[in-house]
Amino acid sequence: MATSRKVTLLSSDGESFEVEQSVAVESITIKDSIEEGSAGNPIPVPKVNSKILAKVIEYCKKHVESAKAEDRVDDEDLVAWDADFVKVDQATLFDLIRAANFLNIKSLLDLTCQTVADMIKGKTPEEKRKTFTIRNDFTPEEEEEVRRENQWAFE
Amino acid sequence: MKQRTWPHRTDNPRFTALPFDGSSVDDLAAKFARRRHHHHHQTDRSASTSASSRRVPKPPPPPPPSSSRLRSPASRWKLAPAGSPKPAPSRDFAGLPYDVLARIAASFTQSNLRAASLVCRSWNEALRPLREAMLLLHWGKRFKHGRGGAGANSEKALDSFLKGAARGSTLAMVDAGLMYWEMGKKEAAIELYRKAASLGDPAGQCNLGIAYLQVEPAKPQEAIKWLQLASAAGHIRAQYQLALCLHRGSGQDTNLVEAARWYLKAAEGGYVRAMYNVALCYSFGEGFHRNRRQARSWMKRAADRGHSKAQFEHGLSLFSEGEMLKAVVYLELATRAGERAAAHLKHVILQQLSAPSRDRGMFLADNWRALPSSR
């Protein structure tokens, strides 16, 4: 199988991206659809717009290249690269999570989830809501119930 | 096994908690929107003064937390409600899919989990299995150590931990793995550690790394990979173990500079054996430039925290500086801990001390307490 095989991905807003197949199949979703033969060309990627798809492709490219190098020094560089990669605004981070989830790219999902986890940890509920601009949709009774739910079990 | 973003144990759909009574997804989205507006009024009445009173009128929320189990893109499209407005999909973190949230919170401690559960309803729902897992973890620990009037019961402990692990808590996975390891079931332990490690739990990563070093045949490359992850996340024991690997060069070239660096990190984190090794590195110029002052400082720190060899070394230093009384105290401590070399020198010094000084020395040794350390 020629390693320089290319596929074309089509974002939800109609932009085409040509990528190596080895990069595209970082996404298990895409990999499966190629193997099942149901992919078509270009491969449509619904729900992922061009901005996010471009970032996802950038991530996959970098990781595929690093896997080839296999040098421990590169590992540290990759970690630093990853850390920079997720320094984005929240909306983008959110979109990346959804894209990684939908496209089933484990390493990207791990990375983005870890980023969000670090943003969540150590904060009070109100601080967490502020961080992510989430509306508190509990009624006061519900909120009390949730608090109590955890209390009794731990004496 | 088909690749999934989340290893499901059971195949329960994630949205059983929502009023999903088989109506079409359109209806569901509409129901969701209606409930939201309803509560919009309710919470207004309760006059919350928090910043969340900034109500931005939103379009109906995104499709309910849909399963990430994808067969092909085609079936995924079917889940999108036909009639919902599709301008900008709202980037509402409240709308994160349940399994993604569960993955995010997999390694959370109890307090973080509680706080996260109180953020909003969907988070509360999403994190329910993890809260159950915490309970199981709690019970498991009690069974393991035998509290509340009951004796220790390993079987029940393991059972609880495994149930907690099944609900996605990496803390439970690590504890279950530990029990398996202690029982000698190394394969099972490694499998659990691996799960926790891949979910980003530093303790899981550390234990996995150590397991790979101790298993037959050892897998040093894998070990180092996982120890590095845990070390980068700040896990102190992992940092020490990583330093050891790099120092000994198990499986690859030794890297003294890196080793010294990680010893120092672990030492700064309070790991006593690392402090001792840092002192040696400075003393012999391994990985660090020779620095007598630093060597002495770290050796004292290790000694003060109960490291018997460090106590001997530090006693030696004090002796060479003429601090006889202090030297004798440390040497006595080292002797009591079994360092035979210390005993000889101690006797030599004792000859040179007056009787009151000798008594004082023994008194100080008797009343010495180790400083706290992280291990």
Side-chain angles (χ1 to χ4, degrees):
Chain A
M1 189 112 58
T3 45
S4 58
R5 186 122 171 254
K6 294 209 192 267
V7 296
T8 308
L9 302 174
L10 187 65
S11 70
S12 61
D13 49 352
E15 213 179 300
S16 301
F17 296 85
E18 199 186 49
V19 295
E20 311 261 328
Q21 181 158 316
S22 58
V23 170
V25 299
E26 285 283 292
S27 154
I28 304 293
T29 309
I30 292 181
K31 179 168 184 274
D32 282 350
S33 67
I34 291 179
E35 285 175 0
E36 284 169 18
S38 61
N41 203 24
I43 303 175
V45 187
K47 301 207 157 223
V48 183
N49 65 28
S50 50
K51 175 182 165 205
I52 299 299
L53 189 54
K55 282 220 78 150
V56 170
I57 289 172
E58 188 193 339
Y59 176 88
C60 294
K61 258 198 192 134
K62 179 75 182 180
H63 277 245
V64 167
E65 280 165 14
S66 294
K68 288 183 194 152
E70 261 187 49
D71 195 346
R72 205 169 65 79
V73 176
D74 276 356
D75 263 0
E76 288 179 16
D77 285 348
L78 191 61
V79 169
W81 189 91
D82 278 355
D84 269 345
F85 182 79
V86 286
K87 284 191 184 135
V88 292
D89 62 82
Q90 270 192 26
T92 308
L93 183 60
F94 186 80
D95 287 339
L96 281 172
I97 292 182
R98 290 181 96 191
N101 193 27
F102 167 54
L103 291 169
N104 202 341
I105 305 173
K106 184 176 188 306
S107 56
L108 180 57
L109 190 60
D110 284 351
L111 175 65
T112 46
C113 282
Q114 193 59 51
T115 307
V116 175
D118 291 338
M119 287 164 79
I120 292 180
K121 280 195 245 191
K123 295 193 165 111
T124 64
E126 187 48 41
E127 285 165 350
K128 292 190 216 293
R129 283 184 215 120
K130 275 211 182 83
T131 304
F132 296 104
T133 329
I134 294 177
R135 193 166 66 86
N136 179 357
D137 56 354
F138 283 120
T139 63
E141 297 81 31
E142 284 171 341
E143 200 168 327
E144 186 50 42
E145 200 180 305
V146 176
R147 278 185 212 277
R148 266 189 286 115
E149 176 203 298
N150 296 311
Q151 246 28 341
W152 67 270
F154 296 87
E155 283 120 351
Chain B
M1 189 165 89
K2 204 152 196 320
Q3 263 280 26
R4 291 173 178 176
T5 50
W6 183 249
H8 293 283
R9 281 305 168 111
T10 63
D11 274 312
N12 292 334
R14 283 275 164 223
F15 28 79
T16 44
L18 289 176
F20 196 80
D21 51 6
S23 50
S24 81
V25 190
D26 278 359
D27 290 359
L28 186 61
K31 254 194 219 170
F32 216 67
R34 257 180 276 130
R35 281 176 104 215
R36 278 280 186 100
H37 290 307
H38 182 59
H39 284 297
H40 179 108
H41 294 309
Q42 277 199 341
T43 38
D44 263 349
R45 240 181 280 135
S46 62
S48 88
T49 52
S50 65
S52 59
S53 58
R54 193 192 87 218
R55 307 281 143 104
V56 178
K58 285 194 198 143
S66 36
S67 163
S68 68
R69 269 170 274 156
L70 304 158
R71 306 284 160 196
S72 72
S75 66
R76 185 72 173 81
W77 300 340
K78 286 201 199 118
L79 290 170
S84 73
K86 274 193 270 197
S90 86
R91 270 74 155 264
D92 185 4
F93 274 82
L96 277 175
Y98 280 9
D99 52 359
V100 172
L101 268 170
R103 193 244 172 271
I104 287 173
S107 59
F108 276 13
T109 55
Q110 169 70 359
S111 53
N112 273 317
L113 195 60
R114 288 179 65 180
S117 300
L118 281 165
V119 167
C120 64
R121 285 163 139 211
S122 66
W123 283 32
N124 183 36
E125 272 313 303
L127 299 176
R128 186 178 296 276
L130 276 172
R131 291 199 299 279
E132 288 167 9
M134 278 295 148
L135 214 72
L136 289 157
L137 180 69
H138 176 75
W139 288 111
K141 286 189 199 277
R142 290 183 66 145
F143 283 130
K144 184 171 182 183
H145 302 290
R147 278 190 246 140
N153 187 330
S154 305
E155 221 178 279
K156 283 193 180 164
L158 180 59
D159 189 54
S160 292
F161 289 142
L162 286 173
K163 286 187 176 141
R167 277 162 182 73
S169 162
T170 58
L171 284 71
M173 288 173 202
V174 171
D175 276 348
L178 193 58
M179 292 212 73
Y180 272 137
W181 188 266
E182 287 165 355
M183 290 178 191
K185 295 192 177 154
K186 303 206 167 167
E187 284 302 308
I190 286 180
E191 196 190 315
L192 279 160
Y193 287 154
R194 226 207 151 86
K195 267 211 187 99
S198 69
L199 285 163
D201 185 309
Q205 291 164 342
C206 178
N207 286 12
L208 185 60
I210 294 176
Y212 277 136
L213 289 173
Q214 296 184 350
V215 87
E216 303 266 348
K219 294 187 177 145
Q221 300 280 49
E222 278 288 296
I224 288 187
K225 169 182 147 196
W226 289 108
L227 288 172
Q228 276 177 327
L229 280 170
S231 300
H235 197 274
I236 297 170
R237 183 164 179 223
Q239 291 166 342
Y240 176 68
Q241 288 291 335
L242 178 60
L244 275 178
C245 282
L246 296 170
H247 197 178
R248 293 191 204 130
S250 36
Q252 56 178 73
D253 304 314
T254 57
N255 187 333
L256 288 178
V257 174
E258 277 291 291
R261 196 179 125 231
W262 286 115
Y263 278 140
L264 186 58
K265 271 253 165 64
E268 285 165 349
Y271 208 83
V272 181
R273 278 184 266 172
M275 293 179 193
Y276 176 69
N277 284 8
V278 166
L280 292 180
C281 285
Y282 275 123
S283 194
F284 296 115
E286 280 188 9
F288 291 138
H289 291 300
R290 265 206 188 119
N291 187 325
R292 214 193 248 153
R293 201 170 51 84
Q294 287 287 6
R296 190 186 185 285
S297 166
W298 281 107
M299 197 60 85
K300 178 176 193 303
R301 285 199 233 184
D304 287 341
R305 281 157 186 80
H307 195 286
S308 56
K309 287 196 164 61
Q311 285 164 342
F312 170 51
E313 296 281 345
H314 189 55
L316 257 181
S317 300
L318 288 164
F319 170 66
S320 66
E321 290 158 19
E323 299 268 10
M324 295 305 162
L325 184 56
K326 285 188 191 169
V328 133
V329 176
Y330 280 102
L331 291 169
E332 174 64 17
L333 291 169
T335 308
R336 291 184 191 183
E339 299 291 331
R340 286 211 239 110
H344 289 286
L345 184 56
K346 189 193 72 171
H347 283 304
V348 167
I349 303 177
L350 282 176
Q351 315 288 349
Q352 303 179 18
L353 290 174
S354 65
S357 294
R358 260 181 265 147
D359 289 342
R360 177 124 188 92
M362 290 307 117
F363 173 78
L364 288 171
D366 285 338
N367 287 289
W368 177 86
R369 291 283 174 272
L371 289 175
S373 59
S374 65
R375 235 244 64 174

